[in-house]
Amino acid sequence: HYRPSTINGWFAQLRELMSIAVTEHDLRKNPMNGVKDFDLSEHRPYSEKEPNSLDPNQTMRFLEKLLELYPQHYAFAYLGFMTGGRISIMITLRRSGPDPDIDWNTGRLLNRRSKGHGPEVRQVVKQKDNFGVPLPQELVDILQWHVETQLDERQLKNKEHLLFAGSKGATFRSLS
């Protein structure tokens, strides 16, 4: 049971691969020609009765329990809930160094890098439009608490100056 939008994404990738194959292997035609995407105009993956989100009370209870059981992940989750940030962007955020992504005085957070599953960090976000976000003081305080109490020596010495360094210190957090 796959969502039609998921299958449409696979079709797009297959179209690209087949276009390359047609060129590289001198094929007479692209086997994906004529394969149409599924119509999404009538497809509603979530309903009002079964939303794909937490209500504000559920969110707060989740964050409270997360802080209690897994404090090392609290600031990451809080930032994600508050900003809707993509994990691929949040794991590249730099807390300090020559090119920090947060101005601790003004609370402005810059989103300008992204990391996929490979080793490369792209110097642009997925939408190709880097952007800044003003953070409320409460969130800045949580991020400062995270740096002061949740990062170990290896993570603090990370040459990337990552705000959310991986558990091994010198690495990015995993996307999975």
Side-chain angles (χ1 to χ4, degrees):
H1 297 269
Y2 293 104
R3 293 186 331 216
S5 59
T6 299
I7 296 171
N8 286 349
W10 294 344
F11 282 168
Q13 292 175 355
L14 191 54
R15 280 188 193 95
E16 181 67 24
L17 287 172
M18 289 296 103
S19 293
I20 293 168
V22 166
T23 302
E24 288 186 5
H25 300 289
D26 214 15
L27 301 178
R28 283 185 286 156
K29 70 177 202 168
N30 185 332
M32 287 301 293
N33 285 350
V35 177
K36 297 192 182 326
D37 281 349
F38 286 101
D39 178 13
L40 303 179
S41 63
E42 301 286 325
H43 181 70
R44 299 289 176 255
Y46 309 110
S47 69
E48 191 69 30
K49 288 182 180 180
E50 297 179 358
N52 184 30
S53 62
L54 301 175
D55 67 37
N57 290 329
Q58 291 171 318
T59 301
M60 291 313 298
R61 284 198 316 270
F62 172 80
L63 288 169
E64 288 167 2
K65 198 64 169 176
L66 186 66
L67 178 59
E68 176 188 330
L69 298 175
Y70 304 100
Q72 71 273 26
H73 303 299
Y74 176 72
F76 188 80
Y78 201 104
L79 180 64
F81 277 121
M82 289 292 286
T83 65
R86 294 177 179 271
I87 292 172
S88 59
I89 294 173
M90 292 185 352
I91 65 172
T92 66
L93 294 174
R94 286 158 170 80
R95 69 182 184 284
S96 61
D99 199 18
D101 295 310
I102 184 165
D103 182 328
W104 295 104
N105 296 318
T106 65
R108 187 154 181 81
L109 180 71
L110 300 175
N111 294 281
R112 53 191 172 171
R113 295 180 195 86
S114 180
K115 184 172 182 329
H117 290 284
E120 179 184 341
V121 175
R122 294 181 298 276
Q123 299 301 314
V124 67
V125 296
K126 182 177 181 179
Q127 301 86 352
K128 309 283 190 266
D129 190 17
N130 298 343
F131 59 97
V133 179
L135 301 179
Q137 188 60 48
E138 174 188 5
L139 182 48
V140 173
D141 293 344
I142 289 170
L143 295 175
Q144 287 176 327
W145 166 85
H146 172 78
V147 171
E148 293 168 5
T149 66
Q150 300 303 303
L151 298 180
D152 63 27
E153 278 302 312
R154 291 176 304 165
Q155 292 168 320
L156 288 170
K157 291 181 179 177
N158 180 295
K159 68 178 179 166
E160 299 288 341
H161 304 278
L162 296 173
L163 179 58
F164 301 113
S167 60
K168 294 180 181 164
T171 62
F172 289 93
R173 277 191 179 202
S174 172
L175 287 174
S176 31

